Short mmCIF file of all heavy atoms in Angstrom, two decimals:
data_model
loop_
_atom_site.label_atom_id
_atom_site.label_comp_id
_atom_site.label_asym_id
_atom_site.label_seq_id
_atom_site.Cartn_x
_atom_site.Cartn_y
_atom_site.Cartn_z
N PHE A 196 100.50 -35.44 189.16
CA PHE A 196 101.77 -35.91 189.72
C PHE A 196 102.49 -34.81 190.50
O PHE A 196 103.71 -34.81 190.60
CB PHE A 196 102.65 -36.44 188.60
CG PHE A 196 102.10 -37.67 187.96
CD1 PHE A 196 101.36 -37.60 186.80
CD2 PHE A 196 102.30 -38.91 188.55
CE1 PHE A 196 100.84 -38.74 186.21
CE2 PHE A 196 101.77 -40.06 187.98
CZ PHE A 196 101.04 -39.97 186.81
N MET A 197 101.71 -33.90 191.05
CA MET A 197 102.24 -32.89 191.95
C MET A 197 101.26 -32.74 193.10
O MET A 197 100.11 -33.13 192.99
CB MET A 197 102.47 -31.56 191.24
CG MET A 197 103.69 -31.57 190.36
SD MET A 197 103.88 -30.06 189.40
CE MET A 197 102.73 -30.38 188.07
N SER A 198 101.73 -32.17 194.19
CA SER A 198 100.86 -32.03 195.35
C SER A 198 100.76 -30.56 195.72
O SER A 198 101.30 -29.69 195.05
CB SER A 198 101.41 -32.86 196.52
OG SER A 198 100.44 -33.00 197.52
N GLY A 199 100.07 -30.31 196.80
CA GLY A 199 99.99 -28.95 197.31
C GLY A 199 98.69 -28.27 196.96
O GLY A 199 98.01 -28.61 195.99
N GLY A 200 98.34 -27.29 197.76
CA GLY A 200 97.14 -26.51 197.53
C GLY A 200 95.97 -27.03 198.32
O GLY A 200 95.90 -28.20 198.71
N GLY A 201 95.02 -26.14 198.56
CA GLY A 201 93.86 -26.50 199.35
C GLY A 201 92.73 -27.09 198.54
O GLY A 201 91.70 -27.47 199.09
N ILE A 202 92.88 -27.17 197.23
CA ILE A 202 91.91 -27.78 196.29
C ILE A 202 90.62 -26.97 196.24
O ILE A 202 90.23 -26.45 195.19
CB ILE A 202 91.61 -29.25 196.64
CG1 ILE A 202 92.92 -30.04 196.74
CG2 ILE A 202 90.68 -29.85 195.60
CD1 ILE A 202 93.75 -30.01 195.49
N PHE A 203 89.91 -26.87 197.36
CA PHE A 203 88.62 -26.19 197.36
C PHE A 203 88.77 -24.67 197.46
O PHE A 203 89.75 -24.17 198.02
CB PHE A 203 87.76 -26.69 198.53
CG PHE A 203 87.44 -28.16 198.44
CD1 PHE A 203 87.98 -29.07 199.32
CD2 PHE A 203 86.59 -28.63 197.44
CE1 PHE A 203 87.69 -30.42 199.24
CE2 PHE A 203 86.28 -29.98 197.34
CZ PHE A 203 86.84 -30.88 198.24
N ARG A 204 87.79 -23.97 196.94
CA ARG A 204 87.79 -22.51 196.98
C ARG A 204 87.93 -22.04 198.42
O ARG A 204 87.32 -22.58 199.33
CB ARG A 204 86.49 -21.98 196.38
CG ARG A 204 86.48 -20.47 196.15
CD ARG A 204 85.11 -20.01 195.71
NE ARG A 204 84.13 -20.12 196.79
CZ ARG A 204 82.83 -19.88 196.67
NH1 ARG A 204 82.33 -19.54 195.49
NH2 ARG A 204 82.02 -20.00 197.70
N ASP A 205 88.74 -21.04 198.64
CA ASP A 205 89.00 -20.38 199.93
C ASP A 205 90.03 -21.11 200.79
O ASP A 205 90.54 -20.53 201.74
CB ASP A 205 87.72 -20.20 200.77
CG ASP A 205 86.69 -19.30 200.10
OD1 ASP A 205 87.12 -18.32 199.46
OD2 ASP A 205 85.49 -19.59 200.21
N ILE A 206 90.34 -22.38 200.49
CA ILE A 206 91.30 -23.12 201.31
C ILE A 206 92.70 -23.03 200.69
O ILE A 206 92.88 -23.24 199.50
CB ILE A 206 90.90 -24.60 201.47
CG1 ILE A 206 89.52 -24.71 202.13
CG2 ILE A 206 91.94 -25.36 202.29
CD1 ILE A 206 89.04 -26.14 202.33
N ASN A 207 93.67 -22.69 201.52
CA ASN A 207 95.06 -22.59 201.09
C ASN A 207 95.92 -23.55 201.91
O ASN A 207 95.58 -23.89 203.05
CB ASN A 207 95.59 -21.17 201.30
CG ASN A 207 94.78 -20.14 200.55
OD1 ASN A 207 94.86 -20.02 199.34
ND2 ASN A 207 93.97 -19.38 201.27
N GLU A 208 97.04 -23.94 201.34
CA GLU A 208 98.02 -24.73 202.09
C GLU A 208 99.23 -23.85 202.39
O GLU A 208 99.76 -23.20 201.49
CB GLU A 208 98.46 -25.96 201.28
CG GLU A 208 99.40 -26.86 202.05
CD GLU A 208 99.74 -28.14 201.30
OE1 GLU A 208 99.52 -28.19 200.08
OE2 GLU A 208 100.24 -29.08 201.93
N LEU A 209 99.66 -23.84 203.64
CA LEU A 209 100.86 -23.11 204.00
C LEU A 209 102.06 -23.83 203.38
O LEU A 209 102.22 -25.04 203.53
CB LEU A 209 101.02 -23.04 205.52
CG LEU A 209 102.14 -22.14 206.04
CD1 LEU A 209 101.88 -20.67 205.69
CD2 LEU A 209 102.32 -22.30 207.55
N HIS A 210 102.91 -23.08 202.67
CA HIS A 210 104.05 -23.69 201.98
C HIS A 210 105.07 -24.23 202.98
O HIS A 210 105.23 -23.69 204.08
CB HIS A 210 104.75 -22.67 201.08
CG HIS A 210 103.92 -22.16 199.95
ND1 HIS A 210 103.19 -23.00 199.13
CD2 HIS A 210 103.69 -20.90 199.49
CE1 HIS A 210 102.56 -22.28 198.22
NE2 HIS A 210 102.84 -21.01 198.42
N PRO A 211 105.81 -25.28 202.61
CA PRO A 211 106.93 -25.72 203.45
C PRO A 211 107.92 -24.59 203.68
O PRO A 211 108.21 -23.81 202.77
CB PRO A 211 107.56 -26.84 202.61
CG PRO A 211 106.45 -27.34 201.75
CD PRO A 211 105.61 -26.14 201.42
N GLY A 212 108.42 -24.51 204.91
CA GLY A 212 109.39 -23.47 205.23
C GLY A 212 108.81 -22.07 205.32
O GLY A 212 109.56 -21.09 205.31
N TRP A 213 107.48 -21.97 205.42
CA TRP A 213 106.82 -20.68 205.53
C TRP A 213 106.12 -20.53 206.88
O TRP A 213 105.84 -21.52 207.56
CB TRP A 213 105.78 -20.51 204.41
CG TRP A 213 106.36 -20.13 203.08
CD1 TRP A 213 107.33 -20.80 202.40
CD2 TRP A 213 105.99 -19.00 202.28
NE1 TRP A 213 107.59 -20.16 201.20
CE2 TRP A 213 106.78 -19.06 201.10
CE3 TRP A 213 105.08 -17.96 202.42
CZ2 TRP A 213 106.69 -18.11 200.09
CZ3 TRP A 213 104.98 -17.02 201.41
CH2 TRP A 213 105.78 -17.10 200.26
N CYS A 214 105.84 -19.30 207.21
CA CYS A 214 105.04 -18.99 208.39
C CYS A 214 104.11 -17.84 208.03
O CYS A 214 104.24 -17.22 206.97
CB CYS A 214 105.93 -18.63 209.58
SG CYS A 214 107.02 -17.20 209.31
N ALA A 215 103.15 -17.57 208.90
CA ALA A 215 102.19 -16.51 208.63
C ALA A 215 101.70 -15.93 209.94
O ALA A 215 101.54 -16.64 210.94
CB ALA A 215 101.00 -17.04 207.82
N THR A 216 101.45 -14.63 209.92
CA THR A 216 100.87 -13.92 211.06
C THR A 216 99.56 -13.28 210.64
O THR A 216 99.51 -12.59 209.62
CB THR A 216 101.83 -12.84 211.58
OG1 THR A 216 103.11 -13.42 211.86
CG2 THR A 216 101.27 -12.19 212.85
N PHE A 217 98.52 -13.54 211.41
CA PHE A 217 97.19 -12.98 211.14
C PHE A 217 96.79 -12.07 212.29
O PHE A 217 96.83 -12.47 213.45
CB PHE A 217 96.14 -14.09 211.00
CG PHE A 217 96.41 -15.07 209.91
CD1 PHE A 217 97.15 -16.23 210.16
CD2 PHE A 217 95.94 -14.87 208.62
CE1 PHE A 217 97.39 -17.16 209.16
CE2 PHE A 217 96.18 -15.78 207.60
CZ PHE A 217 96.91 -16.93 207.88
N THR A 218 96.43 -10.83 211.96
CA THR A 218 95.84 -9.91 212.93
C THR A 218 94.55 -9.37 212.32
O THR A 218 94.22 -9.66 211.17
CB THR A 218 96.79 -8.74 213.25
OG1 THR A 218 96.97 -7.95 212.06
CG2 THR A 218 98.14 -9.23 213.74
N ARG A 219 93.84 -8.58 213.09
CA ARG A 219 92.61 -7.98 212.57
C ARG A 219 92.89 -7.14 211.34
O ARG A 219 92.10 -7.09 210.39
CB ARG A 219 91.95 -7.13 213.66
CG ARG A 219 90.64 -6.46 213.21
CD ARG A 219 90.19 -5.43 214.23
NE ARG A 219 89.74 -6.03 215.46
CZ ARG A 219 88.47 -6.37 215.72
NH1 ARG A 219 87.54 -6.17 214.81
NH2 ARG A 219 88.15 -6.90 216.88
N GLU A 220 94.06 -6.47 211.31
CA GLU A 220 94.34 -5.51 210.25
C GLU A 220 95.07 -6.10 209.06
O GLU A 220 94.96 -5.59 207.94
CB GLU A 220 95.21 -4.36 210.80
CG GLU A 220 94.54 -3.51 211.86
CD GLU A 220 94.58 -4.15 213.24
OE1 GLU A 220 95.39 -5.09 213.43
OE2 GLU A 220 93.78 -3.75 214.11
N ARG A 221 95.83 -7.20 209.25
CA ARG A 221 96.70 -7.62 208.14
C ARG A 221 96.99 -9.11 208.20
O ARG A 221 96.79 -9.78 209.22
CB ARG A 221 98.02 -6.85 208.17
CG ARG A 221 98.88 -7.18 209.38
CD ARG A 221 100.13 -6.33 209.45
NE ARG A 221 100.96 -6.69 210.60
CZ ARG A 221 101.97 -7.54 210.54
NH1 ARG A 221 102.28 -8.11 209.38
NH2 ARG A 221 102.68 -7.83 211.62
N VAL A 222 97.53 -9.59 207.06
CA VAL A 222 98.04 -10.96 206.94
C VAL A 222 99.47 -10.86 206.41
O VAL A 222 99.71 -10.17 205.41
CB VAL A 222 97.19 -11.81 205.97
CG1 VAL A 222 97.79 -13.20 205.84
CG2 VAL A 222 95.75 -11.88 206.44
N ASN A 223 100.40 -11.52 207.08
CA ASN A 223 101.80 -11.49 206.65
C ASN A 223 102.30 -12.90 206.42
O ASN A 223 102.64 -13.63 207.35
CB ASN A 223 102.65 -10.78 207.71
CG ASN A 223 104.11 -10.67 207.28
OD1 ASN A 223 104.44 -10.86 206.11
ND2 ASN A 223 104.99 -10.35 208.22
N LEU A 224 102.29 -13.33 205.15
CA LEU A 224 102.79 -14.64 204.74
C LEU A 224 104.22 -14.51 204.27
O LEU A 224 104.52 -13.62 203.46
CB LEU A 224 101.94 -15.20 203.60
CG LEU A 224 100.63 -15.89 203.92
CD1 LEU A 224 99.75 -15.94 202.69
CD2 LEU A 224 100.88 -17.30 204.43
N ARG A 225 105.12 -15.40 204.72
CA ARG A 225 106.52 -15.24 204.34
C ARG A 225 107.30 -16.53 204.56
O ARG A 225 106.97 -17.34 205.42
CB ARG A 225 107.16 -14.12 205.17
CG ARG A 225 107.12 -14.40 206.66
CD ARG A 225 107.19 -13.14 207.49
NE ARG A 225 107.19 -13.40 208.92
CZ ARG A 225 106.10 -13.62 209.64
NH1 ARG A 225 104.92 -13.64 209.07
NH2 ARG A 225 106.18 -13.85 210.95
N PRO A 226 108.39 -16.71 203.79
CA PRO A 226 109.27 -17.86 204.04
C PRO A 226 110.24 -17.54 205.17
O PRO A 226 110.73 -16.41 205.28
CB PRO A 226 110.01 -18.03 202.72
CG PRO A 226 110.05 -16.65 202.14
CD PRO A 226 108.78 -15.97 202.59
N TYR A 227 110.52 -18.51 206.02
CA TYR A 227 111.57 -18.33 207.04
C TYR A 227 112.81 -19.15 206.69
O TYR A 227 113.87 -18.98 207.31
CB TYR A 227 111.05 -18.71 208.43
CG TYR A 227 110.75 -20.18 208.60
CD1 TYR A 227 111.76 -21.09 208.93
CD2 TYR A 227 109.46 -20.67 208.44
CE1 TYR A 227 111.49 -22.44 209.09
CE2 TYR A 227 109.17 -22.02 208.60
CZ TYR A 227 110.19 -22.90 208.92
OH TYR A 227 109.92 -24.24 209.06
N TRP A 228 112.67 -20.06 205.69
CA TRP A 228 113.80 -20.89 205.26
C TRP A 228 113.71 -21.13 203.77
O TRP A 228 112.64 -21.43 203.25
CB TRP A 228 113.80 -22.23 206.00
CG TRP A 228 114.94 -23.14 205.63
CD1 TRP A 228 116.22 -23.09 206.12
CD2 TRP A 228 114.92 -24.23 204.69
NE1 TRP A 228 116.99 -24.08 205.55
CE2 TRP A 228 116.21 -24.80 204.66
CE3 TRP A 228 113.94 -24.76 203.86
CZ2 TRP A 228 116.55 -25.87 203.85
CZ3 TRP A 228 114.26 -25.85 203.04
CH2 TRP A 228 115.56 -26.40 203.04
N GLN A 229 114.85 -20.99 203.10
CA GLN A 229 114.94 -21.27 201.66
C GLN A 229 116.31 -21.84 201.36
O GLN A 229 117.29 -21.57 202.08
CB GLN A 229 114.72 -19.99 200.84
CG GLN A 229 113.32 -19.40 200.94
CD GLN A 229 113.22 -18.05 200.25
OE1 GLN A 229 113.93 -17.11 200.61
NE2 GLN A 229 112.34 -17.93 199.27
N LEU A 230 116.41 -22.63 200.31
CA LEU A 230 117.70 -23.15 199.88
C LEU A 230 118.59 -22.00 199.44
O LEU A 230 118.14 -21.06 198.79
CB LEU A 230 117.52 -24.13 198.73
CG LEU A 230 116.89 -25.48 199.10
CD1 LEU A 230 116.45 -26.21 197.83
CD2 LEU A 230 117.87 -26.34 199.90
N ILE A 231 119.86 -22.07 199.79
CA ILE A 231 120.84 -21.04 199.42
C ILE A 231 121.92 -21.68 198.55
O ILE A 231 122.49 -22.72 198.91
CB ILE A 231 121.48 -20.42 200.67
CG1 ILE A 231 120.41 -19.75 201.54
CG2 ILE A 231 122.56 -19.42 200.28
CD1 ILE A 231 120.93 -19.28 202.89
#
Side-chain angles (χ1 to χ4, degrees):
F196 294 97
M197 284 175 280
S198 194
I202 306 302
F203 297 111
R204 190 186 69 185
D205 298 323
I206 300 180
N207 302 286
E208 184 175 17
L209 188 65
H210 296 313
W213 281 55
C214 59
T216 306
F217 300 91
T218 65
R219 180 191 291 268
E220 296 80 17
R221 67 185 181 94
V222 178
N223 183 14
L224 278 161
R225 60 204 182 278
Y227 67 84
W228 181 82
Q229 294 172 300
L230 289 166
I231 299 172

